[in-house]
Amino acid sequence: MTDMRVDAVVLGSGPGGYVCGIRLGQLGVKTAVVERDAPGGVCLNVGCIPSKALIHAAKTFEKFTKAAEMGIVAKSPPAVDMKKMQEWKGGIVGKLTSGVRQLLKSNGSELVFGHAHLERGGSDGYRVIVESKGEKSAIIAKNVVIATGSRPIAIPGFDVDQKRVLDSTGALDLDAVPKRLVVIGGGYIGLELGTVYAKLGSKVTVVEALDTVLFGMDKDCVRVVAQKLRKMGVEVLLKTKAVKWESRKDGAAVTVQRAEGEEATIDCDRILVSVGRRPNTDGLGLDKVGVALDGKGFVTVDAQLRTNVPGIYAIGDAAGGVLLAHKATKEGEVVAEVIAGHRAAMDVRTIPAVVFTDPELSSTGLTEEQAAAEGHVIKVGRFPFAALGRALSVNDTEGFVKVIADAESEEILGMHVVGNGGSDLISEGTLAIEMGAVLQDLQLSVHPHPTLSEAVMEAAAAARGEAIHIVNR
Ligand SMILES: Cc1cc2nc3c(=O)[nH]c(=O)nc-3n(C[C@H](O)[C@H](O)[C@H](O)COP(=O)(O)OP(=O)(O)OC[C@H]3O[C@@H](n4cnc5c(N)ncnc54)[C@H](O)[C@@H]3O)c2cc1C
């Protein structure tokens, strides 16, 4: 087979790689995107989209069970058909991944299937060897974008077999609701999936080594999520480590160790290990071309996503930083423009983050602690959803909006929302931070009534002691 020659080759078709491929095509750069698995990467196949589909399904089930207080009386109690739910979820994934293929094609970028690794090549560029079904082919390109993403971190004593011990991929694919589920790791993935199964009827226990779940997020918001987990019957064991597990006649038992050293066992049917992710940068031949990695294996890049080797770039989870799909996507667009010769750089003030627990926790910019550490004296405004007509009318009043601003200039430094719908509200905070907006920009912009967005306006007003629908302190 003759070598394929392109201007740029992108390794991986996750939200970083496929967006990069589309944008390169739009900019007239001849591009191939190589994917060893399914187009769309973790995000579309085993991450953001399938998890949010199951979260929505679990929420819908819960709403049914709680509809009686709104006067909706079901003749028989709702039940869960997990196989059907998985089919529905699979349909959504299928639509989106076939959309990726189509978009790459229509923008003139070629999708090549196979496992890729790099070789140094000659003056005409790098050689990327693609292996598929025992066959090898080569792509020659002057520009290479590493967009190979990440995979779950394993922990000793808990080998993932996707039967008893699951990673997030296995937990998204169960065809029955486990009676008892132990989740190791109280980060966002563990809590999101734990919430799904708690709502569908599992007895969930979360084991977390730190003294808090959702480490690094706004502490007041985390408190609300933790309270709700308890209310749902989820047991959260903080300062506790999972040590080992063993089979039992009717399932498994996980041994945990508290900070004080005492041990306990938790009986369960399934164990979900979600303690973080590591980059897919091994086996790519990066050592052969001299690409520098940090101590954890992430590719080191500058603001233009350039590695230390000319013509080789890295984006998304493989390049570290926050491991989120929208960060990968933004970097995919930026690197395409850099390769096409535009003046572009990853120049953002904030990357928002959303945890799709119940209630949702959404965050952008600095927390109070981070603002103080940067030397700001701050003003904080809070507005509870319980005081908002829209939240009351949709029967979902948990949580609040918190706006953090510099006390003197009143420039917005951060916004944190705990409450359902916050995942959409948070973009107003991101826009405010990117534009250098001040509290009055949010306070004086007319927000439509009745909507949840009024809480953003009121929180900004509260920071100035001028909120209307709560008593200002
Ligand atoms: C359960 C779960 C839920 C999540 N929820 C959210 C969320 O709600 N919001 C959010 O922003 N993020 C979420 N994430 C994180 C998000 O999925 C990742 O940050 C995102 O997918 C990273 O994109 P990427 O393009 O860097 O890599 P990936 O999506 O990991 O894609 C990399 C691709 O490269 C391919 N590849 C790897 N090596 C090779 C090779 N040698 N040759 C060819 N192909 C290769 C892989 O097969 C893969 O398709 C979630 C993750 C998980 C696991």
Side-chain angles (χ1 to χ4, degrees), residues 28-58:
V29 179
K30 191 166 184 237
T31 301
V33 177
V34 188
E35 174 55 58
R36 65 178 178 190
D37 205 338
V42 169
C43 172
L44 263 53
N45 293 282
V46 290
C48 323
I49 298 302
S51 61
K52 267 78 253 180
L54 290 189
I55 287 166
H56 179 72

Side-chain angles (χ1 to χ4, degrees), residues 119-140:
E119 283 184 357
R120 185 154 275 286
S123 57
D124 51 352
Y126 297 98
R127 268 173 82 78
V128 170
I129 308 299
V130 181
E131 296 186 53
S132 173
K133 298 178 189 150
E135 304 264 308
K136 278 191 189 181
S137 59
I139 303 175
I140 316 279

Side-chain angles (χ1 to χ4, degrees), residues 302-305 330 334-335 337-338 342-348:
D302 65 12
Q304 291 179 307
L305 292 322
K330 183 75 197 163
V334 169
V335 81
E337 286 167 16
V338 170
H342 293 212
R343 273 167 55 89
M346 192 63 188
D347 177 23
V348 297

Side-chain angles (χ1 to χ4, degrees), residues 11-18 34-49 51-52 114-117 147-152 168-169 172 188-189 192-193 277 280 282-284 315-319 322-329 354 356:
L11 313 188
S13 73
Y18 87 73
V34 188
E35 174 55 58
R36 65 178 178 190
D37 205 338
V42 169
C43 172
L44 263 53
N45 293 282
V46 290
C48 323
I49 298 302
S51 61
K52 267 78 253 180
H115 186 283
H117 71 267
T148 47
S150 65
R151 60 182 184 273
S168 55
T169 301
L172 285 168
Y188 83 93
I189 293 176
E192 286 186 0
L193 293 174
R277 299 182 65 82
N280 292 327
D282 41 351
L284 282 181
I315 59 172
D317 283 9
V322 288
L323 306 190
L324 290 172
H326 41 281
K327 178 260 194 188
T329 296
V354 177
F356 290 84

Side-chain angles (χ1 to χ4, degrees), residues 27-347:
L27 293 167
V29 179
K30 191 166 184 237
T31 301
V33 177
V34 188
E35 174 55 58
R36 65 178 178 190
D37 205 338
V42 169
C43 172
L44 263 53
N45 293 282
V46 290
C48 323
I49 298 302
S51 61
K52 267 78 253 180
L54 290 189
I55 287 166
H56 179 72
K59 205 179 261 179
T60 307
F61 177 64
E62 188 196 35
K63 277 202 175 130
F64 261 111
T65 58
K66 292 193 173 160
E69 64 193 62
M70 288 186 280
I72 300 166
V73 185
K75 292 232 165 82
S76 56
V80 175
D81 179 344
M82 202 63 204
K83 287 202 179 95
K84 181 89 184 118
M85 197 182 284
Q86 291 292 9
E87 265 170 47
W88 170 76
K89 182 204 82 182
I92 297 164
V93 169
K95 268 185 212 143
L96 287 170
T97 55
S98 63
V100 167
R101 283 171 196 257
Q102 196 48 49
L103 283 168
L104 281 168
K105 198 169 161 207
S106 352
N107 283 286
S109 288
E110 186 152 352
L111 183 58
V112 178
F113 283 98
H115 186 283
H117 71 267
L118 258 167
E119 283 184 357
R120 185 154 275 286
S123 57
D124 51 352
Y126 297 98
R127 268 173 82 78
V128 170
I129 308 299
V130 181
E131 296 186 53
S132 173
K133 298 178 189 150
E135 304 264 308
K136 278 191 189 181
S137 59
I139 303 175
I140 316 279
K142 282 219 156 43
N143 299 289
V144 178
V145 181
I146 301 159
T148 47
S150 65
R151 60 182 184 273
I153 292 178
I155 50 171
F158 291 87
D159 291 339
V160 171
D161 60 5
Q162 307 295 26
K163 292 187 180 87
R164 200 61 87 187
V165 184
L166 316 167
D167 60 15
S168 55
T169 301
L172 285 168
D173 216 26
L174 294 180
D175 59 8
V177 178
K179 273 205 188 88
R180 301 158 302 175
L181 173 69
V182 168
V183 177
I184 305 175
Y188 83 93
I189 293 176
L191 292 195
E192 286 186 0
L193 293 174
T195 302
V196 165
Y197 287 106
K199 286 189 176 182
L200 296 179
S202 302
K203 166 75 190 114
V204 176
T205 308
V206 177
V207 181
E208 168 56 57
L210 300 176
D211 61 0
T212 178
V213 291
L214 301 175
F215 176 77
M217 308 287 293
D218 178 273
K219 287 182 179 149
D220 294 332
C221 294
V222 171
R223 214 167 288 129
V224 175
V225 173
Q227 265 164 14
K228 182 66 186 290
L229 284 170
R230 270 197 294 279
K231 215 164 139 191
M232 278 190 286
V234 175
E235 192 173 358
V236 180
L237 305 176
L238 298 176
K239 294 198 257 177
T240 304
K241 279 188 179 156
V243 184
K244 61 176 185 189
W245 76 278
E246 58 195 20
S247 279
R248 289 275 162 90
K249 207 165 69 196
D250 60 343
V254 176
T255 304
V256 297
Q257 191 174 48
R258 314 295 298 245
E260 305 77 39
E262 103 224 28
E263 288 198 345
T265 54
I266 310 164
D267 294 329
C268 63
D269 301 289
R270 308 270 189 165
I271 305 158
L272 164 60
V273 181
S274 57
V275 293
R277 299 182 65 82
R278 54 182 292 220
N280 292 327
T281 50
D282 41 351
L284 282 181
L286 298 184
D287 48 337
K288 285 188 208 136
V289 285
V291 171
L293 306 178
D294 71 10
K296 291 185 171 164
F298 292 101
V299 183
T300 312
V301 290
D302 65 12
Q304 291 179 307
L305 292 322
R306 292 178 300 206
T307 68
N308 60 317
V309 179
I312 303 188
Y313 305 80
I315 59 172
D317 283 9
V322 288
L323 306 190
L324 290 172
H326 41 281
K327 178 260 194 188
T329 296
K330 183 75 197 163
E331 290 181 341
E333 288 181 69
V334 169
V335 81
E337 286 167 16
V338 170
I339 290 171
H342 293 212
R343 273 167 55 89
M346 192 63 188
D347 177 23

